[in-house]
Amino acid sequence: MLLRNQGIVLTYNSRCWYILINSRKLASFSNGPPSDSGGKSHLCNEGVNQENSRNFDGVRRGVDDVCHVLESGSWGPSLENSLSMFNEKPQPELVIGVLRRLKDVNQAVNYFRWVERKSEEPLSPEAYNSLLMVMVRTRNFDYLEQILGEMSIAGFGPTNYTCVELVASCVKSRKLIEAFDLLQMMRHFKFRPAFSAYTTLIGALSEVGESDRMLALFNQMQELGYEVNVHLLTTLIRVFSREGRVDAALSLLDEMKSNTFDADIVLYNVCIDCFGKVGKVDMAWKFFHEMKANGLVPDDVTYTSMMGVLCKANRLDEAVEIFEQMEQNRQVPCAYAYNTMIMGYGSAGKFDEAYSLLERQRAKGCIPSVVAYNCILTCLGKKGKTDKALRIFEEMKRDAMPNLPTYNIIIGMLCKAGNVEAAFKVRDAMKEAGLFPNVRTINIMIDRLCKAQKLDEACSIFEGMDYKVCSPDGATFCSLIDGLGKQGRVDDAYRIYERMLDADQIPNVVVYTSLIRNFFKCDRKEDGHKMYKEMMRSGCSPDLMLLNTYMDCVFKAGETEKGRALFEEIKARGFLPDTRSYSILIHSLVKAGFARETYELYYAMKDQGCVLDTRAYNTVIDGFCKSGKVNKAYQLLEEMKTMGHHPTVVTYGSVVDGLAKIDRLDEAYMLFEEAKSNGIELNQVIYSSLIDGFGKVGRVDEAYLVMEEMMQKGLTPNVYTWNCLLDGLVKAEEINEALVCFQSMKDLKCTPNQITYCILINGLCKVRKFNKAFVFWQEMQKQGLKPNTITYTAMISGLAKSGNVAQASSLFERFRASGGIPDSASYNAMIEGLSIANRALDAYQLFEETRLKGCSIHTKTCVALLDALHKAECLEQAAIVGAVLRETAKSQHAARSW
């Protein structure tokens, strides 16, 4: 096998070896001395070598001639005739040599087939492997399956070298799926792919996170009897851990232990790092302690990985403990460990501790790196301590030269603070230091200025970009579009979007989300809808966040059915609605008056496995309260607490309001007190709910006490709060107290609204203070407030009953002229008033109108009208009213009997 694989030259040398061995065998029968035999052998060998050299030169010339013919034109009969002129039956050495030289797969396959026809027998394994290597060189595998099928029938397969090269070729061209399919094809033809082919592909798949395919290859290796090693298992475990597939990673670890593999420090470090990064901190701790129990000494990577995991999980005290363990008896500090801890302190906002650690590092003779300083500057940036950051920026120049990220941090911080001139100075200093602003620098400046609402400055930087040096990217356009849109400059945002298209930048889903949201926010819903359609036409697929945002905007614009359709579209596009999707849907339907659907949607969300957050709990609780399921809302409030979510003022406000509306005021007040004891800062809404509840059941004194407490807390009652109190006083017939309260409301600069006047007018009419009610009616009109149907009815009834029939009639006609639809109470009040004023025929005309409209007529009204008609001697009309009165009496009697 060794000789065969070496190719043509060694094939000829094998003949030399054969002759040499035979010559030695013949020499053993000779009577001459060994030296003579050796001499003869030497002479024979020289002769054979000369012959081999001549044959080798002949094969090489033959290969050159054949390749010249093949390169002279496309395959066809004339080219085949030219090949036949050299040799009717090409020798294997010649065929292999030609295949090794060819660079075109189609030409190689045609030549291969021509040789098969000429030799009238299958070609050698070497020829097949040489053809496969042509595919490797050209990375063209169109004929691969066909060739492998023929090799399988012939009873031989690709060599290990060929197999590895085939896979490596796919890997180099990043065709990893094709490489995977190639190995599966080999297994289909019962070949045994090389060990290195598997490991090469597993390594490449690990870089792109193709864990399932990696595991399939790993299992296949075991089926073939290959011995897997710790390094391979480490690669698999790293990928599964990074993807958060903890169970699969642990399963591989158990398999490793069952195969009596000893885990090395690299594997433990990988487990600590990867499990920690996906939030499995306790699991990372377990591996840290397990490796020490197994006699392995943690190295710098182990310690820093564990510290990084703990810092990320906000378990800073434990990270400090690990750091101090590492520092014990250590002469040279580990710079990476210091950077990790400084970053941990910085992320936690502990600048003093971070800076103290940097000083400690310097005291130990280790100069802090630029990474450490960047961490501290980032921390100060988050806290908005620009002056301190600039001082440390100057200080760091003694230890480490600021790099591009350093300048970007400082520039971003200054732009965020709105100090544009200082930012430009730092940018100029950056150029003097030999560092030139890149697109990230520009993006930071534009983003921070937009967030600081310095939009003109952001636009100025954008317009001043030199496209030859630094062109805007997608992030540049995205920041500016979003910043302009949020400040209501949606037309400017759309112009930037058009420039983005002109610059051949493809807008992503974030850009479209921003444009849709901001168009709707500016009450331009048609433009928002157009942006969604434009996105779909451009081929940009919406993600769940965009669909949620679009659905929220549509609901807020009052398009309830369109919002429902979008929720269904989320599912139709293959997305699972998340907690936010359901929260938007439930909240919007509750506002639109469909609170009864909360129950069904809540259980659909639970069945889907959605985990409720605080916002979702608040939304569902509010829906249950608005649909009358207050007990269920109360249960959810308790569940919310047990799940670790702290109820907010919105949570308490919904339940208190729900309880108050069904007169469970003692429970509502207890919950109100619980909210206060938990340190919840209560607002006007929750106070108003209690005032409204107490007022409706006549507990006016308690309503007053709640109002007083509210004002003592520094909260100013709004018009809704005052209306709740006034309504309670009116219902308790405390009309004088209500008038005092109304005056206090105006004294506190709270402008009465339509409802305020309606409450007072109704209350005054109720206690027959019609003249005072009419004064408020006129005041209301002067304020430009339009009375509602209830107020019109109360006023008309009051004027009619007080004998002001002319004013009542005028008001009645004005109400109808304005598009108002009088109700039964209005008609009855007017008929009765006209009857008392001896306007019998006018009253009768209204009586007929009332009957035609299907409004009920009271018995008292009929009696008053009947008397008036008799007095006016309108006997025909009186007979009709009398008949109606008798029918009314009969129906009332039947109802009582029933």
Side-chain angles (χ1 to χ4, degrees):
M1 287 295 291
L2 178 65
L3 294 172
R4 186 178 69 186
N5 286 338
Q6 294 302 313
I8 299 170
V9 176
L10 285 179
T11 302
Y12 285 105
N13 286 344
S14 66
R15 295 178 184 174
C16 301
W17 183 253
Y18 175 77
I19 295 168
L20 179 61
I21 294 299
N22 280 310
S23 67
R24 285 181 179 172
K25 287 181 180 178
L26 290 169
S28 65
F29 295 102
S30 172
N31 291 326
S35 59
D36 293 342
S37 174
K40 291 175 184 176
S41 173
H42 179 69
L43 289 171
C44 177
N45 193 30
E46 282 185 357
V48 172
N49 283 340
Q50 288 174 1
E51 183 186 351
N52 286 345
S53 180
R54 284 195 297 274
N55 288 340
F56 179 75
D57 289 339
V59 171
R60 187 174 61 187
R61 283 195 297 274
V63 170
D64 290 339
D65 292 339
V66 171
C67 288
H68 181 71
V69 170
L70 290 171
E71 291 167 0
S72 64
S74 58
W75 190 269
S78 61
L79 193 141
E80 289 185 15
N81 291 333
S82 299
L83 289 173
S84 299
M85 290 172 61
F86 292 110
N87 202 335
E88 276 297 320
K89 189 175 181 181
Q91 295 300 310
E93 294 84 356
L94 178 68
V95 175
I96 294 166
V98 170
L99 289 173
R100 287 179 176 174
R101 291 267 292 275
L102 290 177
K103 296 177 181 177
D104 185 310
V105 168
N106 294 318
Q107 201 78 320
V109 171
N110 287 328
Y111 176 69
F112 189 84
R113 296 302 179 207
W114 177 80
V115 171
E116 277 185 326
R117 291 195 298 274
K118 288 293 181 181
S119 59
E120 297 180 352
E121 60 183 27
L123 295 183
S124 66
E126 288 88 344
Y128 272 99
N129 278 286
S130 298
L131 182 58
L132 291 176
M133 289 304 294
V134 178
M135 297 179 192
V136 170
R137 289 195 298 276
T138 59
R139 295 179 183 174
N140 185 334
F141 303 103
D142 294 343
Y143 298 97
L144 181 63
E145 187 172 4
Q146 181 185 344
I147 298 302
L148 289 177
E150 291 177 18
M151 293 175 79
S152 176
I153 294 168
F156 53 81
T159 64
N160 284 347
Y161 176 78
T162 305
C163 179
V164 172
E165 287 299 310
L166 283 166
V167 171
S169 174
C170 291
V171 169
K172 285 174 185 174
S173 58
R174 308 309 298 166
K175 295 179 178 179
L176 303 185
I177 307 304
E178 288 85 342
F180 179 84
D181 293 340
L182 189 151
L183 289 181
Q184 303 317 302
M185 192 189 299
M186 287 189 181
R187 291 297 303 130
H188 172 71
F189 290 119
K190 308 301 181 187
F191 297 140
R192 179 186 171 91
F195 179 88
S196 295
Y198 278 110
T199 54
T200 300
L201 184 53
I202 287 173
L205 289 170
S206 71
E207 293 176 8
V208 294
E210 284 281 354
S211 54
D212 290 327
R213 286 189 169 88
M214 289 172 65
L215 187 60
L217 293 175
F218 178 78
N219 292 333
Q220 213 170 87
M221 289 178 75
Q222 291 180 306
E223 289 169 10
L224 291 170
Y226 284 128
E227 215 174 287
V228 296
N229 52 35
V230 175
H231 175 72
L232 195 60
L233 279 162
T234 303
T235 303
L236 283 160
I237 290 166
R238 179 188 285 114
V239 174
F240 278 114
S241 301
R242 281 177 181 170
E243 290 182 356
R245 297 174 63 178
V246 178
D247 293 337
L250 291 174
S251 176
L252 284 168
L253 284 169
D254 291 337
E255 185 175 336
M256 184 191 77
K257 290 175 183 176
S258 65
N259 289 331
T260 65
F261 284 124
D262 291 327
D264 58 11
I265 195 165
V266 175
L267 177 58
Y268 275 114
N269 287 346
V270 165
C271 289
I272 289 168
D273 184 57
C274 294
F275 278 96
K277 281 179 179 173
V278 295
K280 303 292 180 182
V281 184
D282 293 331
M283 194 75 74
W285 257 128
K286 173 185 168 291
F287 286 118
F288 182 79
H289 292 302
E290 185 182 301
M291 72 179 292
K292 292 205 287 187
N294 289 340
L296 292 171
V297 178
D299 60 7
D300 289 352
V301 176
T302 317
Y303 278 113
T304 49
S305 295
M306 195 66 232
M307 281 187 279
V309 166
L310 291 168
C311 288
K312 188 180 176 184
N314 295 321
R315 292 163 65 168
L316 204 55
D317 293 338
E318 294 169 84
V320 171
E321 186 180 339
I322 290 283
F323 177 75
E324 295 302 337
Q325 284 180 25
M326 182 183 180
E327 280 289 280
Q328 283 178 0
N329 303 319
R330 190 184 178 98
Q331 298 300 319
V332 180
C334 173
Y336 188 64
Y338 272 92
N339 289 346
T340 302
M341 283 307 302
I342 289 169
M343 196 180 299
Y345 279 127
S347 299
K350 296 187 174 184
F351 164 74
D352 294 332
E353 289 84 346
Y355 191 74
S356 173
L357 201 59
L358 186 135
E359 291 290 336
R360 177 175 163 184
Q361 183 182 4
R362 188 188 285 115
K364 287 201 170 190
C366 181
I367 297 173
S369 68
V370 68
V371 175
Y373 276 107
N374 285 352
C375 292
I376 287 177
L377 290 172
T378 303
C379 171
L380 290 170
K382 287 178 181 176
K383 285 178 163 289
K385 296 185 176 180
T386 309
D387 294 337
K388 191 172 281 189
L390 290 171
R391 181 177 59 78
I392 289 176
F393 173 65
E394 293 301 323
E395 180 186 307
M396 76 174 284
K397 294 176 183 177
R398 294 177 301 177
D399 296 329
M401 285 300 295
N403 59 10
L404 194 59
T406 315
Y407 282 103
N408 285 345
I409 291 165
I410 295 295
I411 289 170
M413 203 182 304
L414 290 167
C415 288
K416 188 178 179 181
N419 196 343
V420 185
E421 290 182 9
F424 282 135
K425 285 181 182 177
V426 173
R427 188 188 64 179
D428 294 339
M430 178 181 180
K431 292 178 182 177
E432 290 171 9
L435 297 169
F436 292 93
N438 57 12
V439 70
R440 177 165 172 74
T441 313
I442 301 297
N443 289 348
I444 287 171
M445 294 181 78
I446 290 174
D447 180 66
R448 303 300 186 273
L449 286 169
C450 285
K451 286 175 179 173
Q453 299 181 18
K454 299 270 186 180
L455 297 176
D456 292 335
E457 290 85 344
C459 290
S460 175
I461 290 170
F462 176 76
E463 297 297 341
M465 288 182 74
D466 185 352
Y467 279 45
K468 293 179 181 178
V469 178
C470 179
S471 300
D473 61 6
T476 321
F477 287 106
C478 185
S479 294
L480 201 53
I481 288 167
D482 191 54
L484 289 165
K486 281 179 177 175
Q487 295 304 310
R489 292 170 60 175
V490 285
D491 290 323
D492 291 336
Y494 189 77
R495 277 193 286 273
I496 299 295
Y497 164 75
E498 289 179 328
R499 287 182 61 175
M500 185 179 187
L501 295 175
D502 293 339
D504 292 329
Q505 291 280 348
I506 300 172
N508 60 16
V509 72
V510 178
V511 172
Y512 285 111
T513 303
S514 174
L515 285 166
I516 290 168
R517 180 181 57 243
N518 291 321
F519 271 125
F520 271 95
K521 189 178 173 184
C522 294
D523 294 327
R524 291 170 60 175
K525 65 178 183 179
E526 294 305 322
D527 290 322
H529 289 311
K530 284 178 185 175
M531 283 311 308
Y532 183 74
K533 290 173 184 173
E534 190 171 326
M535 179 192 73
M536 299 305 295
R537 283 196 302 271
S538 72
C540 177
S541 298
D543 61 5
L544 185 57
M545 182 175 286
L546 182 141
L547 290 168
N548 282 342
T549 302
Y550 187 34
M551 179 172 64
D552 190 35
C553 291
V554 165
F555 271 124
K556 284 176 180 173
E559 299 180 358
T560 306
E561 293 309 312
K562 173 74 174 171
R564 287 180 189 271
L566 275 170
F567 184 78
E568 294 304 318
E569 185 179 332
I570 288 172
K571 293 186 277 188
R573 288 188 174 277
F575 295 110
L576 274 177
D578 61 2
T579 304
R580 183 165 179 253
S581 311
Y582 278 104
S583 297
I584 291 167
L585 180 63
I586 293 169
H587 177 71
S588 303
L589 290 176
V590 168
K591 284 187 75 175
F594 298 99
R596 62 183 180 277
E597 296 182 38
T598 303
Y599 189 85
E600 182 184 342
L601 290 170
Y602 167 68
Y603 281 102
M605 179 166 50
K606 294 287 279 185
D607 291 343
Q608 192 181 293
C610 292
V611 179
L612 276 70
D613 55 13
T614 302
R615 180 184 174 185
Y617 272 113
N618 287 348
T619 302
V620 176
I621 286 169
D622 186 53
F624 279 135
C625 289
K626 295 269 194 316
S627 60
K629 298 185 187 314
V630 182
N631 289 336
K632 185 63 186 173
Y634 213 115
Q635 287 174 16
L636 268 183
L637 174 62
E638 295 305 315
E639 179 189 305
M640 183 181 182
K641 295 176 192 172
T642 58
M643 295 300 290
H645 297 288
H646 299 292
T648 64
V649 66
V650 176
T651 325
Y652 282 112
S654 296
V655 183
V656 166
D657 187 61
L659 290 166
K661 277 185 168 58
I662 58 173
D663 299 340
R664 288 165 61 176
L665 288 158
D666 293 332
E667 292 173 76
Y669 192 76
M670 284 173 63
L671 206 58
F672 171 77
E673 290 295 329
E674 180 187 310
K676 288 196 291 184
S677 65
N678 288 337
I680 302 292
E681 193 172 332
L682 303 179
N683 56 19
Q684 287 102 327
V685 176
I686 196 166
Y687 278 104
S688 300
S689 296
L690 275 178
I691 292 166
D692 186 48
F694 282 127
K696 280 179 180 173
V697 296
R699 294 165 67 174
V700 182
D701 291 339
E702 288 161 283
Y704 256 123
L705 288 171
V706 173
M707 174 72 94
E708 285 176 13
E709 182 184 320
M710 176 184 177
M711 296 175 76
Q712 286 170 2
K713 294 282 185 184
L715 293 170
T716 305
N718 56 24
V719 67
Y720 175 74
T721 316
W722 285 110
N723 287 348
C724 289
L725 185 58
L726 286 169
D727 189 52
L729 291 167
V730 165
K731 282 178 179 170
E733 296 188 2
E734 297 278 356
I735 194 65
N736 292 328
E737 191 64 36
L739 293 173
V740 171
C741 189
F742 177 73
Q743 188 57 47
S744 299
M745 176 183 180
K746 291 201 288 187
D747 292 343
L748 290 170
K749 309 298 182 186
C750 184
T751 306
N753 63 8
Q754 175 194 21
I755 297 169
T756 315
Y757 283 104
C758 290
I759 291 167
L760 286 171
I761 290 166
N762 294 342
L764 288 164
C765 289
K766 189 178 177 182
V767 295
R768 306 186 67 79
K769 292 188 176 183
F770 302 117
N771 293 331
K772 184 69 175 174
F774 194 66
V775 170
F776 276 107
W777 174 272
Q778 290 175 322
E779 184 180 321
M780 181 182 186
Q781 302 281 65
K782 287 178 185 176
Q783 298 291 335
L785 299 172
K786 186 179 178 182
N788 59 18
T789 303
I790 297 170
T791 311
Y792 265 111
T793 302
M795 202 65 241
I796 290 164
S797 177
L799 290 168
K801 286 175 182 177
S802 64
N804 296 324
V805 179
Q807 286 181 326
S809 183
S810 172
L811 198 60
F812 185 78
E813 293 304 324
R814 195 192 314 167
F815 177 49
R816 287 201 293 187
S818 66
I821 302 172
D823 59 3
S824 176
S826 300
Y827 278 113
N828 278 280
M830 280 303 302
I831 292 166
E832 194 175 340
L834 288 167
S835 298
I836 294 168
N838 295 320
R839 291 172 58 180
L841 289 176
D842 290 337
Y844 181 77
Q845 188 179 350
L846 269 182
F847 171 81
E848 288 296 331
E849 185 182 321
T850 307
R851 289 177 65 201
L852 285 171
K853 289 187 178 292
C855 295
S856 63
I857 302 174
H858 303 158
T859 303
K860 184 182 175 184
T861 306
C862 287
V863 170
L865 178 58
L866 192 62
D867 287 344
L869 288 168
H870 279 302
K871 285 179 185 178
E873 296 183 353
C874 300
L875 301 179
E876 186 180 344
Q877 290 87 345
I880 295 170
V881 174
V884 171
L885 186 59
R886 284 192 295 275
E887 286 297 321
T888 305
K890 283 180 184 178
S891 62
Q892 288 176 350
H893 177 72
R896 283 196 293 272
S897 300
W898 175 257

